[in-house]
Amino acid sequence: SWHGEKAVMQVSTKSQYVLRAQEPKRVSLRTFPYSKETCSCTPAKIKDCVLGFFPILQWLPKYNFREYLLGDVMSGVIVGVLLVPQSIAYSLLAGLEPVYGLYTSFFSCIIYCIFGTSRHISVSIFGVVCLMLGQVVDREVERAGYQLEPAVPSALPGPGGHGNGTGNGTEPLCDSGCYAMAVAATVTFISGVYQVRVGFVSVYLSDSLLSGFVTGASITVLTSQVKYLLGLDIPRSGGVGSLITTWMNIFRNIHSTNICDLITSFLCFLVLVPAKELNERFKSKLKAPVPVELFVVVAATLASHFGKLKENYGSSISGHIPTGFLPPRPPVWTLIPSVALDAIPIAIIGFAITVSLSEMFAKKHGYSVRANQEMYAIGFCNIIPSFFHCFTTSAALAKTLVKESTGCRTQMSGMVTSLVILLVLLVIAPLFYSLQKCVLAVITIVNLRGALRKFRDLPKMWHLSRVDTVIWAVTMAATALVSTEIGLLVGVCFSMLCVIFRTQRPEAPLLGWVAESETYESLSAYKNLQTKPGVVVFRFEAPIYYINKECFKSTLYKQTGVNPAWVKAARKKAEKRKLKQKEEGSGDKQSSLPVDLGSEPVGFHTIVIDCCAVQFLDTAGIRTLKEVCKDYRDIDVHVLLAQCSPSVRSSLLRGEFFQEGEDQLLFHSVHQAVDFALGTQGHGAPKK
């Protein structure tokens, strides 16, 4: 029994162990201001703080050029070659000009190299995040009164100009493309701030939820690119039901398909899909994947330029991509109230994917990453570039796999990737002028294969966990059919409801004894288990709290076959009938009673509740246990608790579960509780 700070745990009928609680550690506030160890600012502490915040200062001085350089250079060059066409393609997905995607990839690789702790992940443009950003950009551009998706930017600032410069000193010359970039930079800045401050929120996103969200968003991405495949000039849909609206617009305008774009898309698919499959099938034999995307882009650009596909067939092209860098420009602070809410899901998804990938590859290669530092790294990958005409970034699985498989050893490969993109920005960018947008759409769609393949894995997922499969399906459907933001919210809420339902209706079996051991297991799960006469062992596999308190009681009554309230009611009814018969003088002819009033009216004298799976109790749970013990005591059945964790025991003590003058026992194991119950059989209630 528990009295004050002393806990007595009965382990047999002859002996008892006394457990005394640890004295709480008390720290005097007087020692705080004068603690030199706590508050001193020594050079060693400053050095540790700086090295922790800038991981590059730790690994760069120890860089082994002979062992690491070749692999880092090879992986950096290959990832850079792959990033060039993808950066241009994903810029269009975000509703921005192609050059901004190159800026984003350039800055993000450098910044993550400085702040990141993962050696292998590739932080750059990610299609799902671009889609979410593009929906915000389109909404704000349309709200500002601009036309969406101009054919050719009319006032795109060159490297020597200003994006929001003025012609006569008063009127801004910022067109829709310039304003779209301003919106994207503002969203990127706010997303980075969120990631630095509240990145921990992403821990509430399960793997099945993230997978379903990415798959649903990939379907939306694919839908948004179909109009480029067909060369259709239709408005970009956003908001709730954008996927259905987009497909309706596509079928309404299917007669306007550009045959040149359709043929080009078909030919690109014929080349890219088999080449990607061959790259994956023979990745163990290839030192590096074949950069087939770059070959397709070069060939398509040459064909478009010399064949004059825009002039002769009206094909849509990328347009002018300026060389050099634009002057830095801060985000538009006045836009923050309009986009602050939209930046939350973008920040959460970006951080969650980055941390999950970094931890996955760190575990694979035997090193550790710091989640807090990753929070800062991905946050700064968005905050700093937002001043340099960049948009939101995160880690991407496909490029990370390429980076790892091509020999990457450190984040030095990210520096090499930045140099490759820098070369494109300074010299090669204008050569992509004639590149058709349908080619970029094909590249985007082909890179969605990994997410769309999840449909093929559904039977295996269903076999492993039906709940996770349902969470995946609900999140995927809500993301694709409603919207990405609402889909993420629906997924989070639904997964939390699943957790609640799991605790609301948990497993609650009766236990049996394994012969010649001290082990008790579920009677419904195993054969050849024995039961002790007069003792029922019950296990509740969930915390007992306000949501499932009634479930606990009803399941206990059902499994034991005895509801104390019904027994007491039957006894009262029988007593009244007996009294009435006595008064009528017919006590010798009383009928059989529904409940036997003998010493063991219910077939057992003790219930042992195995609490090993009860993680916690709240006030409602403690009150429920009190009621159960009292109700069964009223019908001469004793309730014993076994295998309570320290936190549960503390909750019982604080909740005054153990009343003065009463004998309440806790046991280390179910076997000890059963032995104690059998030892007291026939001797009344257990005594100390």
Side-chain angles (χ1 to χ4, degrees), residues 446-493:
V446 169
N447 281 289
L448 299 176
R449 292 175 307 125
L452 297 177
R453 280 175 179 167
K454 290 294 181 180
F455 288 100
R456 190 175 60 187
D457 299 334
L458 281 180
K460 182 179 179 181
M461 192 188 306
W462 179 262
H463 178 72
L464 291 175
S465 174
R466 295 184 178 183
V467 175
D468 285 347
T469 307
V470 173
I471 291 174
W472 183 93
V474 169
T475 306
M476 183 275 300
T479 303
L481 299 177
V482 185
S483 71
T484 51
E485 294 83 0
I486 295 178
L488 180 61
L489 180 62
V490 168
V492 171
C493 294

Side-chain angles (χ1 to χ4, degrees), residues 215-280:
T215 303
S218 298
I219 296 174
T220 307
V221 171
L222 186 151
T223 300
S224 69
Q225 299 302 295
V226 171
K227 67 176 183 179
Y228 296 115
L229 301 181
L230 304 177
L232 299 178
D233 185 15
I234 59 177
R236 181 168 174 169
S237 301
V240 176
S242 59
L243 182 131
I244 298 174
T245 304
T246 301
W247 280 109
M248 291 175 62
N249 289 332
I250 289 172
F251 285 115
R252 284 197 193 105
N253 296 274
I254 195 73
H255 61 278
S256 303
T257 299
N258 188 299
I259 302 301
C260 177
D261 284 344
L262 180 60
I263 294 174
T264 303
S265 302
F266 180 72
L267 294 176
C268 290
F269 273 119
L270 284 182
V271 175
L272 281 174
V273 174
K276 287 278 190 178
E277 293 294 333
L278 290 174
N279 269 339
E280 290 186 7

Side-chain angles (χ1 to χ4, degrees), residues 396-419:
L397 177 60
K399 290 182 278 292
T400 300
L401 289 172
V402 171
K403 189 175 181 179
E404 180 213 22
S405 63
T406 51
C408 170
R409 303 297 294 273
T410 69
Q411 276 297 336
M412 182 63 74
S413 62
M415 289 290 189
V416 178
T417 299
S418 295
L419 292 177

Side-chain angles (χ1 to χ4, degrees), residues 516-544:
E516 300 181 0
S517 73
E518 296 184 358
T519 305
Y520 281 75
E521 293 292 347
S522 171
L523 288 169
S524 60
Y526 298 99
K527 300 178 180 179
N528 302 325
L529 297 179
Q530 301 177 12
T531 58
K532 299 292 185 177
V535 180
V536 175
V537 184
F538 173 78
R539 176 189 292 160
F540 194 70
E541 299 180 355
I544 304 174

Side-chain angles (χ1 to χ4, degrees), residues 8 22 55 73 82 89 93 99 118 144 167 237 248 377 402 417 420 467 588 611-612:
V8 179
Q22 289 278 4
V73 170
L82 294 176
L93 182 60
V99 69
S118 173
S237 301
M248 291 175 62
V402 171
T417 299
V420 173
V467 175
D588 54 337
C611 300
C612 66

Side-chain angles (χ1 to χ4, degrees), residues 497 499-506 540 542 545 547-548 551-552:
L497 284 176
V499 172
I500 294 174
F501 289 150
R502 281 176 168 180
T503 60
Q504 190 176 7
R505 295 292 178 185
F540 194 70
Y545 64 124
I547 289 180
N548 64 6
C551 174
F552 169 76

Side-chain angles (χ1 to χ4, degrees), residues 121-360:
I121 67 170
S122 175
V123 175
S124 56
I125 299 176
F126 183 49
V128 173
V129 174
C130 289
L131 171 70
M132 300 172 70
L133 177 66
Q135 293 173 344
V136 182
V137 168
D138 288 347
R139 186 196 68 207
E140 294 300 321
V141 169
E142 192 171 14
R143 184 179 294 175
Y146 289 102
Q147 293 279 331
L148 289 179
E149 298 183 359
V152 179
S154 58
L156 184 65
H162 299 278
N164 57 351
T166 57
N168 55 10
T170 57
E171 293 297 328
L173 296 178
C174 189
D175 69 339
S176 62
C178 171
Y179 186 76
M181 186 62 242
V183 174
T186 306
V187 175
T188 301
F189 176 83
I190 297 300
S191 299
V193 172
Y194 288 155
Q195 288 167 338
V196 168
R197 302 290 296 177
V198 291
F200 65 89
V201 174
S202 63
V203 300
Y204 295 101
L205 306 183
S206 64
D207 291 341
S208 57
L209 188 151
L210 272 177
S211 177
F213 175 81
V214 171
T215 303
S218 298
I219 296 174
T220 307
V221 171
L222 186 151
T223 300
S224 69
Q225 299 302 295
V226 171
K227 67 176 183 179
Y228 296 115
L229 301 181
L230 304 177
L232 299 178
D233 185 15
I234 59 177
R236 181 168 174 169
S237 301
V240 176
S242 59
L243 182 131
I244 298 174
T245 304
T246 301
W247 280 109
M248 291 175 62
N249 289 332
I250 289 172
F251 285 115
R252 284 197 193 105
N253 296 274
I254 195 73
H255 61 278
S256 303
T257 299
N258 188 299
I259 302 301
C260 177
D261 284 344
L262 180 60
I263 294 174
T264 303
S265 302
F266 180 72
L267 294 176
C268 290
F269 273 119
L270 284 182
V271 175
L272 281 174
V273 174
K276 287 278 190 178
E277 293 294 333
L278 290 174
N279 269 339
E280 290 186 7
R281 178 168 296 183
F282 298 104
K283 62 182 178 181
S284 59
K285 299 180 180 179
L286 294 173
K287 293 185 177 180
V290 179
V292 64
E293 291 175 338
L294 184 64
F295 296 153
V296 168
V297 166
V298 171
T301 303
L302 292 175
S304 177
H305 175 73
F306 291 105
K308 297 183 178 180
L309 300 184
K310 175 177 174 56
E311 292 80 2
N312 295 334
Y313 303 102
S315 183
S316 178
I317 61 174
S318 298
H320 176 61
I321 303 178
T323 56
F325 289 89
L326 301 176
R329 185 179 67 180
V332 182
W333 310 118
T334 56
L335 278 173
I336 290 179
S338 301
V339 301
L341 193 61
D342 300 292
I344 294 176
I346 296 175
I348 293 175
I349 289 298
F351 178 75
I353 291 174
T354 301
V355 170
S356 61
L357 285 179
S358 62
E359 290 179 347
M360 180 176 71

Side-chain angles (χ1 to χ4, degrees), residues 404-447:
E404 180 213 22
S405 63
T406 51
C408 170
R409 303 297 294 273
T410 69
Q411 276 297 336
M412 182 63 74
S413 62
M415 289 290 189
V416 178
T417 299
S418 295
L419 292 177
V420 173
I421 298 174
L422 179 63
L423 177 65
V424 174
L425 279 169
L426 296 179
V427 180
I428 305 175
L431 300 180
F432 294 109
Y433 175 86
S434 299
L435 178 61
Q436 294 168 272
K437 289 185 178 180
C438 64
V439 177
L440 300 176
V442 172
I443 292 173
T444 301
I445 293 174
V446 169
N447 281 289

